[in-house]
Amino acid sequence: MPSEVLTYFLKNSDWKVRLEFQIALQCAPFLKGLKVSCVISLNASLCRGLGEMFRGSDIAYRRLSCSEGKCLVLFYRPEELERHLNGRRTRRLIREYGYENMSFRKMLERLSDRVSDFAERGIGFPHEIGAFLGYPPEDVKGFIENEGRKYLMIGYWKVYSDLTHARMVFKEYDRAKACAVNEFLTGKSIREIAV
């Protein structure tokens, strides 16, 4: 996509257009049902339009942290994310970070608390956020064990295992992004773009 198009939409004076374009661009794999969730940073002023944008859809959102006029927002489909987090391999991974014997709502609260705490201390993100974003548990563990280095490939996440599968997934995500942005450009709303 030409940089002029990106600039036009991301700097548009209409806050709703800016918000919808940013979500179409950055959340496309999630909107198209390929990812269990996504997280993006939004200007705090844009968050006011999220409720209306997703009303009547199966998409929920949660502000994980807010500071200095920016909010980190998690978008998810509750049933899908809960099922993912309760999967055997993912559950084993997040248990190491204190997500044991708690409801889905409590897991989201804990993640939000940890993201806010990490942001306040200026130390990035808690590593388990990768599990909440649907990254393969082996890659989340690889990232933690290698301190973000020695990866096989970098794309939508850092890959430490199953390079062939990751390449296929990244191509699907790229196609979803092109599809979602093209649908937005033809006038579809986020609810219409979402599967």
Side-chain angles (χ1 to χ4, degrees):
M1 168 175 303
S3 62
E4 297 83 14
V5 173
L6 287 172
T7 301
Y8 171 77
F9 283 107
L10 292 175
K11 297 193 184 266
N12 196 295
S13 60
D14 183 333
W15 67 268
K16 188 175 179 185
V17 169
R18 266 195 337 268
L19 177 61
E20 286 188 347
F21 183 71
Q22 184 178 357
I23 289 172
L25 181 68
Q26 295 180 322
C27 297
F30 164 72
L31 293 173
K32 292 301 184 184
L34 300 175
K35 282 191 81 208
V36 72
S37 67
C38 68
V39 67
I40 63 173
S41 177
L42 293 172
N43 285 329
S45 62
L46 294 178
C47 290
R48 70 179 184 265
L50 293 175
E52 178 187 333
M53 182 181 299
F54 292 107
R55 188 172 294 119
S57 76
D58 64 345
I59 295 173
Y61 65 93
R62 181 182 181 95
R63 290 182 209 175
L64 297 177
S65 67
C66 287
S67 67
E68 298 178 18
K70 293 277 191 188
C71 291
L72 192 67
V73 181
L74 175 73
F75 296 95
Y76 60 98
R77 291 177 178 90
E79 289 180 11
E80 289 180 28
L81 182 55
E82 184 174 9
R83 187 171 39 254
H84 169 74
L85 292 173
N86 284 316
R88 187 177 46 83
R89 294 179 331 168
T90 303
R91 189 63 140 171
R92 188 178 324 132
L93 173 66
I94 64 175
R95 186 179 305 133
E96 296 175 29
Y97 296 93
Y99 298 85
E100 188 167 9
N101 300 322
M102 59 177 57
S103 68
F104 177 61
R105 185 180 59 78
K106 289 287 188 192
M107 284 191 244
L108 291 178
E109 286 175 14
R110 177 163 175 73
L111 177 66
S112 185
D113 290 345
R114 286 180 49 81
V115 168
S116 292
D117 179 54
F118 275 57
E120 287 172 12
R121 295 190 291 151
I123 55 173
F125 298 101
H127 295 311
E128 74 271 14
I129 197 167
F132 283 81
L133 296 173
Y135 300 162
E138 299 80 13
D139 290 339
V140 176
K141 284 192 80 77
F143 181 87
I144 295 165
E145 291 167 0
N146 291 286
E147 299 176 336
R149 297 185 292 267
K150 299 181 185 177
Y151 47 86
L152 301 173
M153 182 175 104
I154 190 168
Y156 287 87
W157 68 84
K158 289 183 178 178
V159 178
Y160 291 88
S161 67
D162 204 345
L163 192 56
T164 303
H165 177 71
R167 282 188 176 125
M168 289 184 337
V169 170
F170 292 171
K171 284 181 183 176
E172 287 181 41
Y173 287 6
D174 287 342
R175 283 193 291 273
K177 185 183 290 189
C179 180
V181 168
N182 286 334
E183 288 176 341
F184 175 82
L185 295 175
T186 63
K188 287 189 174 183
S189 70
I190 293 299
R191 279 193 304 265
E192 292 170 319
I193 293 169
V195 174

